[in-house]
Structures are given as structure tokens and as C-alpha cells.
Amino acid sequence: STTGDDFPFEDFMLARAVYIVMCLRSGISVKEHEVDGLTPVEISALCEGPENSAPKEEEILLAHAIAASFGFEREKQHTIVSFFTSLLLKFRHNNFGIQNELQQVIASGVFPKGAVLNHSCDPNCIL
């Protein structure tokens, strides 16, 4: 079971915010509960992790929680959960830590053009 201290609120809120922005840019209401064709090409091109790796149970459970927070219908659950799982994996495997002058990570971001520099889903350098 997940306690409040273990719940990944940052990932939860990030996925919600990204979905809302994608809807706004596509001219689709969040209440339409649509995900088909919503992901921009730059994000679609990002890798979701090492080949032949499956999402972890915790990532799938988080995707279910995100979908539930928007009130998606049960008929669309599989598609919606796949969408949010993919979004979470792309963020986790392509994000860059934004560091202060002491090299402490103070934020994270996904920069699709920068992600091609780190062409491996198993990074081995700091930019």
C-alpha cells in the first residue's frame, strides 16, 4: 500500500498538467475525455525506456489514478491508462534535472530537442 509520503504527487500533477495543455493546444475540451491524436510529434518521438521493458505496477497504478482524477469512462480505461503510462515513462526516461550552482536538482524538465543528445534510455552523462 502507498502512504501519503510515498505517493508521487509531482508525477501525478505533471501528467494532469500535460494532458490539460495538450487539450488546450488541440482545441479539445478536457471534459471530452479524448486522447487519440493528442500527443505532439516531439513527445511521441521520445523513448519510453529500454527495449523489452514493461511498465512497473506502480506506474500503471499511477496512470489509473490520473485517469480517475479526470473521471474517464470505464469503456476508455485501457486506452487512457496506456496514454498516461506512456506519458509518465517518456518523462522519466527523457527528463533533465535543472540544477542550482551547487549541482542540486531543483526541478526537472523534458526538452525534446535536448533528449536526442541523450540518445540512450539508460543515460551515462550529465549535460
Side-chain angles (χ1 to χ4, degrees), residues 49-81:
E51 288 185 38
N52 302 323
S53 66
K56 297 176 184 171
E57 183 181 1
E58 64 199 35
E59 293 160 339
I60 295 170
L61 290 174
L62 180 56
H64 275 282
I66 297 162
S69 75
F70 282 107
F72 283 101
E73 302 88 23
R74 287 218 177 263
E75 308 86 59
K76 292 186 174 184
Q77 279 293 339
H78 179 72
T79 302
I80 302 304
V81 168

mmCIF file of all heavy atoms in Angstrom, residues 49-81:
data_model
loop_
_atom_site.group_PDB
_atom_site.id
_atom_site.type_symbol
_atom_site.label_atom_id
_atom_site.label_comp_id
_atom_site.label_asym_id
_atom_site.label_seq_id
_atom_site.Cartn_x
_atom_site.Cartn_y
_atom_site.Cartn_z
ATOM 1 N N GLY A 49 11.761 3.999 -22.430
ATOM 2 C CA GLY A 49 12.631 3.180 -21.596
ATOM 3 C C GLY A 49 13.350 2.152 -22.436
ATOM 4 O O GLY A 49 13.180 2.077 -23.645
ATOM 5 N N PRO A 50 14.176 1.353 -21.786
ATOM 6 C CA PRO A 50 14.913 0.309 -22.507
ATOM 7 C C PRO A 50 13.968 -0.633 -23.248
ATOM 8 O O PRO A 50 12.853 -0.889 -22.791
ATOM 9 C CB PRO A 50 15.652 -0.439 -21.391
ATOM 10 C CG PRO A 50 15.700 0.520 -20.250
ATOM 11 C CD PRO A 50 14.459 1.361 -20.363
ATOM 12 N N GLU A 51 14.421 -1.100 -24.400
ATOM 13 C CA GLU A 51 13.596 -2.033 -25.180
ATOM 14 C C GLU A 51 13.255 -3.260 -24.348
ATOM 15 O O GLU A 51 14.004 -3.675 -23.481
ATOM 16 C CB GLU A 51 14.350 -2.467 -26.444
ATOM 17 C CG GLU A 51 14.448 -1.368 -27.488
ATOM 18 C CD GLU A 51 15.091 -1.864 -28.756
ATOM 19 O OE1 GLU A 51 14.842 -3.017 -29.154
ATOM 20 O OE2 GLU A 51 15.846 -1.076 -29.341
ATOM 21 N N ASN A 52 12.114 -3.828 -24.645
ATOM 22 C CA ASN A 52 11.624 -5.045 -23.985
ATOM 23 C C ASN A 52 11.371 -4.864 -22.488
ATOM 24 O O ASN A 52 11.373 -5.834 -21.744
ATOM 25 C CB ASN A 52 12.587 -6.223 -24.202
ATOM 26 C CG ASN A 52 12.807 -6.506 -25.669
ATOM 27 O OD1 ASN A 52 11.886 -6.399 -26.471
ATOM 28 N ND2 ASN A 52 14.025 -6.854 -26.033
ATOM 29 N N SER A 53 11.204 -3.634 -22.041
ATOM 30 C CA SER A 53 10.884 -3.439 -20.630
ATOM 31 C C SER A 53 9.404 -3.063 -20.520
ATOM 32 O O SER A 53 8.889 -2.328 -21.342
ATOM 33 C CB SER A 53 11.756 -2.355 -20.000
ATOM 34 O OG SER A 53 11.465 -1.096 -20.560
ATOM 35 N N ALA A 54 8.771 -3.618 -19.539
ATOM 36 C CA ALA A 54 7.353 -3.338 -19.313
ATOM 37 C C ALA A 54 7.209 -2.302 -18.213
ATOM 38 O O ALA A 54 8.088 -2.194 -17.339
ATOM 39 C CB ALA A 54 6.633 -4.623 -18.917
ATOM 40 N N PRO A 55 6.125 -1.527 -18.244
ATOM 41 C CA PRO A 55 5.908 -0.569 -17.155
ATOM 42 C C PRO A 55 5.796 -1.291 -15.818
ATOM 43 O O PRO A 55 5.289 -2.409 -15.738
ATOM 44 C CB PRO A 55 4.578 0.091 -17.509
ATOM 45 C CG PRO A 55 4.281 -0.288 -18.908
ATOM 46 C CD PRO A 55 5.065 -1.514 -19.219
ATOM 47 N N LYS A 56 6.259 -0.646 -14.773
ATOM 48 C CA LYS A 56 6.151 -1.209 -13.432
ATOM 49 C C LYS A 56 4.709 -1.067 -12.951
ATOM 50 O O LYS A 56 3.973 -0.194 -13.406
ATOM 51 C CB LYS A 56 7.087 -0.475 -12.476
ATOM 52 C CG LYS A 56 8.543 -0.619 -12.820
ATOM 53 C CD LYS A 56 9.395 0.224 -11.893
ATOM 54 C CE LYS A 56 10.855 0.157 -12.316
ATOM 55 N NZ LYS A 56 11.664 1.114 -11.596
ATOM 56 N N GLU A 57 4.347 -1.919 -12.012
ATOM 57 C CA GLU A 57 2.985 -1.883 -11.468
ATOM 58 C C GLU A 57 2.654 -0.507 -10.901
ATOM 59 O O GLU A 57 1.557 0.006 -11.090
ATOM 60 C CB GLU A 57 2.812 -2.951 -10.393
ATOM 61 C CG GLU A 57 1.400 -2.996 -9.845
ATOM 62 C CD GLU A 57 1.226 -4.046 -8.757
ATOM 63 O OE1 GLU A 57 2.192 -4.740 -8.408
ATOM 64 O OE2 GLU A 57 0.100 -4.147 -8.247
ATOM 65 N N GLU A 58 3.620 0.124 -10.243
ATOM 66 C CA GLU A 58 3.379 1.442 -9.645
ATOM 67 C C GLU A 58 3.078 2.497 -10.705
ATOM 68 O O GLU A 58 2.283 3.414 -10.485
ATOM 69 C CB GLU A 58 4.563 1.876 -8.783
ATOM 70 C CG GLU A 58 5.834 2.074 -9.573
ATOM 71 C CD GLU A 58 7.096 2.047 -8.745
ATOM 72 O OE1 GLU A 58 7.148 1.277 -7.778
ATOM 73 O OE2 GLU A 58 8.032 2.799 -9.077
ATOM 74 N N GLU A 59 3.701 2.378 -11.890
ATOM 75 C CA GLU A 59 3.440 3.324 -12.977
ATOM 76 C C GLU A 59 2.033 3.129 -13.534
ATOM 77 O O GLU A 59 1.338 4.107 -13.833
ATOM 78 C CB GLU A 59 4.492 3.167 -14.076
ATOM 79 C CG GLU A 59 5.870 3.596 -13.598
ATOM 80 C CD GLU A 59 7.018 3.061 -14.411
ATOM 81 O OE1 GLU A 59 6.856 2.045 -15.118
ATOM 82 O OE2 GLU A 59 8.102 3.651 -14.318
ATOM 83 N N ILE A 60 1.612 1.891 -13.634
ATOM 84 C CA ILE A 60 0.261 1.600 -14.121
ATOM 85 C C ILE A 60 -0.783 2.067 -13.111
ATOM 86 O O ILE A 60 -1.803 2.668 -13.483
ATOM 87 C CB ILE A 60 0.109 0.104 -14.444
ATOM 88 C CG1 ILE A 60 1.047 -0.264 -15.614
ATOM 89 C CG2 ILE A 60 -1.335 -0.245 -14.771
ATOM 90 C CD1 ILE A 60 1.181 -1.739 -15.868
ATOM 91 N N LEU A 61 -0.520 1.840 -11.828
ATOM 92 C CA LEU A 61 -1.447 2.299 -10.783
ATOM 93 C C LEU A 61 -1.547 3.820 -10.776
ATOM 94 O O LEU A 61 -2.634 4.381 -10.601
ATOM 95 C CB LEU A 61 -1.008 1.779 -9.416
ATOM 96 C CG LEU A 61 -1.161 0.274 -9.194
ATOM 97 C CD1 LEU A 61 -0.539 -0.132 -7.857
ATOM 98 C CD2 LEU A 61 -2.624 -0.138 -9.250
ATOM 99 N N LEU A 62 -0.422 4.492 -10.972
ATOM 100 C CA LEU A 62 -0.448 5.949 -11.030
ATOM 101 C C LEU A 62 -1.242 6.418 -12.240
ATOM 102 O O LEU A 62 -2.029 7.373 -12.149
ATOM 103 C CB LEU A 62 0.977 6.506 -11.064
ATOM 104 C CG LEU A 62 1.108 8.026 -11.124
ATOM 105 C CD1 LEU A 62 0.374 8.701 -9.960
ATOM 106 C CD2 LEU A 62 2.580 8.427 -11.144
ATOM 107 N N ALA A 63 -1.074 5.751 -13.381
ATOM 108 C CA ALA A 63 -1.846 6.103 -14.580
ATOM 109 C C ALA A 63 -3.343 5.926 -14.329
ATOM 110 O O ALA A 63 -4.155 6.743 -14.763
ATOM 111 C CB ALA A 63 -1.387 5.261 -15.769
ATOM 112 N N HIS A 64 -3.720 4.868 -13.608
ATOM 113 C CA HIS A 64 -5.131 4.667 -13.237
ATOM 114 C C HIS A 64 -5.624 5.820 -12.362
ATOM 115 O O HIS A 64 -6.740 6.316 -12.546
ATOM 116 C CB HIS A 64 -5.311 3.340 -12.481
ATOM 117 C CG HIS A 64 -5.489 2.158 -13.368
ATOM 118 N ND1 HIS A 64 -6.679 1.858 -13.988
ATOM 119 C CD2 HIS A 64 -4.610 1.192 -13.740
ATOM 120 C CE1 HIS A 64 -6.544 0.758 -14.695
ATOM 121 N NE2 HIS A 64 -5.283 0.333 -14.572
ATOM 122 N N ALA A 65 -4.798 6.247 -11.415
ATOM 123 C CA ALA A 65 -5.184 7.349 -10.520
ATOM 124 C C ALA A 65 -5.369 8.649 -11.302
ATOM 125 O O ALA A 65 -6.311 9.406 -11.051
ATOM 126 C CB ALA A 65 -4.139 7.525 -9.419
ATOM 127 N N ILE A 66 -4.489 8.899 -12.259
ATOM 128 C CA ILE A 66 -4.598 10.113 -13.071
ATOM 129 C C ILE A 66 -5.880 10.070 -13.900
ATOM 130 O O ILE A 66 -6.634 11.042 -13.949
ATOM 131 C CB ILE A 66 -3.361 10.285 -13.977
ATOM 132 C CG1 ILE A 66 -2.107 10.458 -13.125
ATOM 133 C CG2 ILE A 66 -3.547 11.463 -14.928
ATOM 134 C CD1 ILE A 66 -0.817 10.218 -13.869
ATOM 135 N N ALA A 67 -6.133 8.924 -14.536
ATOM 136 C CA ALA A 67 -7.359 8.774 -15.335
ATOM 137 C C ALA A 67 -8.595 8.971 -14.470
ATOM 138 O O ALA A 67 -9.542 9.664 -14.858
ATOM 139 C CB ALA A 67 -7.378 7.410 -16.014
ATOM 140 N N ALA A 68 -8.581 8.396 -13.279
ATOM 141 C CA ALA A 68 -9.723 8.519 -12.371
ATOM 142 C C ALA A 68 -9.927 9.969 -11.946
ATOM 143 O O ALA A 68 -11.069 10.417 -11.769
ATOM 144 C CB ALA A 68 -9.521 7.628 -11.148
ATOM 145 N N SER A 69 -8.840 10.725 -11.813
ATOM 146 C CA SER A 69 -8.957 12.122 -11.381
ATOM 147 C C SER A 69 -9.670 12.979 -12.418
ATOM 148 O O SER A 69 -10.218 14.027 -12.098
ATOM 149 C CB SER A 69 -7.578 12.703 -11.068
ATOM 150 O OG SER A 69 -6.852 12.996 -12.241
ATOM 151 N N PHE A 70 -9.683 12.535 -13.670
ATOM 152 C CA PHE A 70 -10.401 13.245 -14.727
ATOM 153 C C PHE A 70 -11.794 12.674 -14.954
ATOM 154 O O PHE A 70 -12.573 13.222 -15.727
ATOM 155 C CB PHE A 70 -9.623 13.187 -16.052
ATOM 156 C CG PHE A 70 -8.480 14.147 -16.120
ATOM 157 C CD1 PHE A 70 -7.181 13.701 -16.035
ATOM 158 C CD2 PHE A 70 -8.698 15.508 -16.268
ATOM 159 C CE1 PHE A 70 -6.109 14.583 -16.113
ATOM 160 C CE2 PHE A 70 -7.644 16.398 -16.338
ATOM 161 C CZ PHE A 70 -6.347 15.936 -16.261
ATOM 162 N N GLY A 71 -12.102 11.542 -14.338
ATOM 163 C CA GLY A 71 -13.420 10.944 -14.482
ATOM 164 C C GLY A 71 -13.656 10.265 -15.828
ATOM 165 O O GLY A 71 -14.769 10.263 -16.339
ATOM 166 N N PHE A 72 -12.609 9.664 -16.401
ATOM 167 C CA PHE A 72 -12.774 8.969 -17.673
ATOM 168 C C PHE A 72 -13.736 7.785 -17.524
ATOM 169 O O PHE A 72 -13.758 7.110 -16.497
ATOM 170 C CB PHE A 72 -11.423 8.444 -18.189
ATOM 171 C CG PHE A 72 -10.565 9.507 -18.805
ATOM 172 C CD1 PHE A 72 -9.523 10.076 -18.096
ATOM 173 C CD2 PHE A 72 -10.805 9.938 -20.095
ATOM 174 C CE1 PHE A 72 -8.726 11.055 -18.655
ATOM 175 C CE2 PHE A 72 -10.013 10.911 -20.669
ATOM 176 C CZ PHE A 72 -8.976 11.476 -19.950
ATOM 177 N N GLU A 73 -14.510 7.538 -18.584
ATOM 178 C CA GLU A 73 -15.457 6.426 -18.576
ATOM 179 C C GLU A 73 -14.721 5.090 -18.559
ATOM 180 O O GLU A 73 -13.623 4.964 -19.067
ATOM 181 C CB GLU A 73 -16.354 6.477 -19.831
ATOM 182 C CG GLU A 73 -17.128 7.757 -19.983
ATOM 183 C CD GLU A 73 -16.342 8.821 -20.745
ATOM 184 O OE1 GLU A 73 -15.428 8.463 -21.508
ATOM 185 O OE2 GLU A 73 -16.636 10.012 -20.555
ATOM 186 N N ARG A 74 -15.358 4.083 -17.996
ATOM 187 C CA ARG A 74 -14.758 2.738 -17.913
ATOM 188 C C ARG A 74 -14.442 2.157 -19.283
ATOM 189 O O ARG A 74 -13.469 1.445 -19.437
ATOM 190 C CB ARG A 74 -15.679 1.787 -17.156
ATOM 191 C CG ARG A 74 -15.713 2.066 -15.675
ATOM 192 C CD ARG A 74 -15.792 0.730 -14.940
ATOM 193 N NE ARG A 74 -15.765 0.935 -13.517
ATOM 194 C CZ ARG A 74 -14.667 0.829 -12.782
ATOM 195 N NH1 ARG A 74 -13.530 0.527 -13.343
ATOM 196 N NH2 ARG A 74 -14.716 1.014 -11.482
ATOM 197 N N GLU A 75 -15.262 2.477 -20.289
ATOM 198 C CA GLU A 75 -15.032 1.918 -21.636
ATOM 199 C C GLU A 75 -13.693 2.360 -22.207
ATOM 200 O O GLU A 75 -13.106 1.678 -23.040
ATOM 201 C CB GLU A 75 -16.134 2.343 -22.622
ATOM 202 C CG GLU A 75 -17.555 2.092 -22.192
ATOM 203 C CD GLU A 75 -18.121 3.232 -21.342
ATOM 204 O OE1 GLU A 75 -18.189 4.378 -21.790
ATOM 205 O OE2 GLU A 75 -18.496 2.934 -20.196
ATOM 206 N N LYS A 76 -13.220 3.513 -21.791
ATOM 207 C CA LYS A 76 -11.969 4.051 -22.324
ATOM 208 C C LYS A 76 -10.777 3.779 -21.410
ATOM 209 O O LYS A 76 -9.666 4.214 -21.699
ATOM 210 C CB LYS A 76 -12.092 5.561 -22.519
ATOM 211 C CG LYS A 76 -13.053 5.971 -23.597
ATOM 212 C CD LYS A 76 -12.979 7.472 -23.811
ATOM 213 C CE LYS A 76 -13.817 7.899 -24.988
ATOM 214 N NZ LYS A 76 -13.679 9.329 -25.280
ATOM 215 N N GLN A 77 -10.972 3.067 -20.311
ATOM 216 C CA GLN A 77 -9.917 2.900 -19.313
ATOM 217 C C GLN A 77 -8.608 2.369 -19.902
ATOM 218 O O GLN A 77 -7.548 2.897 -19.595
ATOM 219 C CB GLN A 77 -10.377 1.968 -18.178
ATOM 220 C CG GLN A 77 -11.225 2.638 -17.149
ATOM 221 C CD GLN A 77 -10.477 3.683 -16.332
ATOM 222 O OE1 GLN A 77 -9.262 3.687 -16.228
ATOM 223 N NE2 GLN A 77 -11.225 4.588 -15.736
ATOM 224 N N HIS A 78 -8.668 1.331 -20.728
ATOM 225 C CA HIS A 78 -7.432 0.745 -21.263
ATOM 226 C C HIS A 78 -6.658 1.777 -22.086
ATOM 227 O O HIS A 78 -5.440 1.942 -21.906
ATOM 228 C CB HIS A 78 -7.730 -0.494 -22.110
ATOM 229 C CG HIS A 78 -6.493 -1.096 -22.700
ATOM 230 N ND1 HIS A 78 -5.562 -1.776 -21.940
ATOM 231 C CD2 HIS A 78 -6.005 -1.086 -23.962
ATOM 232 C CE1 HIS A 78 -4.565 -2.171 -22.717
ATOM 233 N NE2 HIS A 78 -4.812 -1.758 -23.946
ATOM 234 N N THR A 79 -7.344 2.474 -22.977
ATOM 235 C CA THR A 79 -6.699 3.480 -23.826
ATOM 236 C C THR A 79 -6.129 4.610 -22.987
ATOM 237 O O THR A 79 -4.999 5.055 -23.200
ATOM 238 C CB THR A 79 -7.712 4.047 -24.839
ATOM 239 O OG1 THR A 79 -8.230 2.972 -25.608
ATOM 240 C CG2 THR A 79 -7.081 5.075 -25.752
ATOM 241 N N ILE A 80 -6.895 5.076 -22.013
ATOM 242 C CA ILE A 80 -6.484 6.196 -21.169
ATOM 243 C C ILE A 80 -5.290 5.815 -20.295
ATOM 244 O O ILE A 80 -4.328 6.572 -20.171
ATOM 245 C CB ILE A 80 -7.661 6.665 -20.282
ATOM 246 C CG1 ILE A 80 -8.853 7.078 -21.145
ATOM 247 C CG2 ILE A 80 -7.239 7.780 -19.350
ATOM 248 C CD1 ILE A 80 -8.581 8.135 -22.160
ATOM 249 N N VAL A 81 -5.347 4.644 -19.688
ATOM 250 C CA VAL A 81 -4.246 4.196 -18.831
ATOM 251 C C VAL A 81 -2.976 4.018 -19.673
ATOM 252 O O VAL A 81 -1.889 4.408 -19.246
ATOM 253 C CB VAL A 81 -4.625 2.908 -18.066
ATOM 254 C CG1 VAL A 81 -3.416 2.282 -17.408
ATOM 255 C CG2 VAL A 81 -5.697 3.226 -17.024
#
